Amino acid sequence: MAGESGSDAGPDSSPCYLQKFRLYETRSNFYMIGRDKNRTLWRVLKIDRLDPSELTVIEDSTAYSEIECFDLLRRIHEGNRSSGGLKFVTACYGIVGFIKFLGSYSMMLITKRMKIGAICGHTVYAISKSEMIPISKSPNQSNMAYSKNEKRYKKLLSTVDLTKDFFFSYTYNVMHSLQRNLCRNETGEVPYETMFVWNEFLTRGIRNTLKNTLWTVALVYGFFKQVKLSVSGRDFCLTLISRRSRHYAGTRYLKRGVNEKGRVANDVETEQIVFEDVHEGCPTQISSVVQNRGSIPLFWSQETSRLNLKPDIILSKKDPNYEATRLHFEDLVRRYGNPIIILNLIKRCEKKPRESILRAEFANAIRFINKSLSKENRLRFLHWDLNRHSRKATNVLTLLGRVADYALNLTGIFYCQVTSNRRQDGLLTLSCLVKSDECPAKIPLEKSDDFEKWETDVANDNESISENVKPPMFQTGVLRTNCIDCLDRTNVAQYAYGLVALGHQLHAMGFTESQTIDQNSPLAEDLMGVYEAMGDTLALQYGGSAAHNKIFCQRRGQWKAATQSQEFFRTLQRYYSNAYMDAEKQSAINLFLGHFQPQQGKPALWELDSDQHYSIGRNGPNRYNENARPSFKRSLSDGNIVCDMDSPLAPSNIGHRQPLCENRGTFNGLSESTPEIPTSEISYSRQLFGDMEDQFLESDGICYDEIGDECNCTNFDLDWPSSSGNSCDDDIFDRSTTGLSSENIGAELKIDMTTSPSESGSSIKGGDRTASELTCGGILDEFSESFVNWVTHGDMLIPSKFISKVVP
């Protein structure tokens, strides 16, 4: 962001944040003039235009007044009159970064911005318009051997639309949670190195040269929405922020699972902030809660197919000791503290094992890691098949609400009262917190010395503060939710968590007497709308279509035919994006993040396979890149587990500051054979929680019940309803007796399509409609039977017998 200046103002002065800029040019230089919000401080930056191969920026250390600054511009104009003088180029609101392809550098600017919210008086903006300006005056295109590729790279980069889902703030570290911003008195440069700043690479050159972040903005990618709500006649503001990690970032089928450094695909931190709607300058109460989503931290993949809507899940056994999985959870502990609570929503068992393979291996990984952890630091987990319970949306949200309540009781929420004496130009700090005589029950994550100095920092404020000030509360630990894509089912679970958390937040702020919010209340419906918007945005970014929101539609009482039609066409949209658009989208992301850096004489980005993108950069062939897509052998049949011990990716030796354990031992991982799925019709009823914890943790294999069926495993100390009447084998038996003829499509949809098609690899949701409803005057009449089966069941669009005739 246009961050702090290490100017001549002196050590005790408030830092300055430049927010508005004007760009001028002469034949040999660009001059950027920046000023602060109050027009009291003006600075000058010079960018050399004569050397196209190097980025040369020089910052004038003088802090000018407005009159002095414009006098400087007049003198520059007079000095360059013979070559055309000084010309105005554009007004802008910060530098996104500099990028070089095969020619000269280009500068990316924000030329229009839009306010989308504010946190404690700190404005957050989205980008309305951006512009890329070449640094070199007028390169001789006719003599550029690579001009065609240069234009193609620029066109590819332009597909990263900065006006969609990027946001920033000049004075608030929006890449960090509220708790971290308040509890860590961070000063100095804006932390561009964090995992949530997407233009870290683009700004690296100017930041390293100037040793400050005065001229650039730190862009966060994800979702930001702020709404005003009310409860019990009192107004409050709710802000929902999702921050997408730039590590191992990409599209649905091109980024799956975990990499060697423990980074997972589709890693998104979601923060829900609630604060009182009070007049500016008045003390206010504020609360936040953070949850996380991310791909299953195993080495697995799916290969895009233009003929198969339901690609095989390919699981590699290259990491038998789950080192990458361990690194991932160590990183979560470092970021959020203990406990780490895992909610795994993927399918428990299937006719053709797909998700269930990952479920079994994930259970083994968690159990293996937990063996070396103390009981209080063990990973808490619940493997719960949302698909099986999703036929009644209310029941699903109720059960997920119980999980959320359990998690919140373990992690707590962040709550404090903020005084009006915050630094007007600086970031929020711990000194803004109103002090209570009570000590906090929880210590903030990654606490710094500033927390221990809290007593001293705010001691002077005690005299003016009421005796009944509430003590602050802190969140330690996090709920991590996943399904296959971490989009549709995950979003339902995150809404359920957000609703329960909102009840806790409003109760802590004194808005409600109870911590529970009725699912049928207008407040719950308003919150659902915000989470639905977030789910659609995140799904478009990673999956290529809006989210599948069947449960939300059911909660609102939407017409089933309309819901099914919507789900059907979103499935098609996601398929088209994955099959035809994602390769280019992934290349653009790799270019934007600096994972691929073009070089003259080296293969172009579009000439490489996705696995080769990361071995060629400005320094030539390099060491393993953490964002490289793992190379797996292709599975030739449904449910195969591919053992790829010959992977070129060497085991990682990277550790973290807070290892999960010291004793690692050995473990064989998943057995060579696919877990057996019983095919006879059975029913079962069992208690999933409580005393089974020790038995489960000591087991060496997958948890099975008394008849050999894999159970829904957990170590939550929580009562849970039995699974009686919801047997996996009931589902398999029903599906096996239902044909795929047009007469039975409706029945098949009713049984098998309760999960979002994008996640399970299955297709549209049919709800409770019958075959006749679907085929007589329904949407399926518009398509051929083979096309419907392809969308519905992932069958081959072109039968293999025809393919064999066409392909030699």
Side-chain angles (χ1 to χ4, degrees), residues 559-572:
W559 184 38
K560 291 181 181 179
T563 300
Q564 185 187 17
S565 178
Q566 171 183 288
E567 300 301 289
F568 186 87
F569 287 106
R570 284 185 179 180
T571 297
L572 294 182

Side-chain angles (χ1 to χ4, degrees), residues 652-667:
S652 172
N653 293 321
I654 295 177
H656 287 276
R657 292 180 295 173
Q658 299 180 12
L660 283 173
C661 67
E662 297 177 358
N663 242 342
R664 299 201 173 179
T666 59
F667 187 63

Side-chain angles (χ1 to χ4, degrees), residues 55-66:
L55 177 63
T56 305
V57 292
I58 301 172
E59 182 181 36
D60 188 340
S61 60
T62 305
Y64 294 94
S65 67
E66 184 173 4

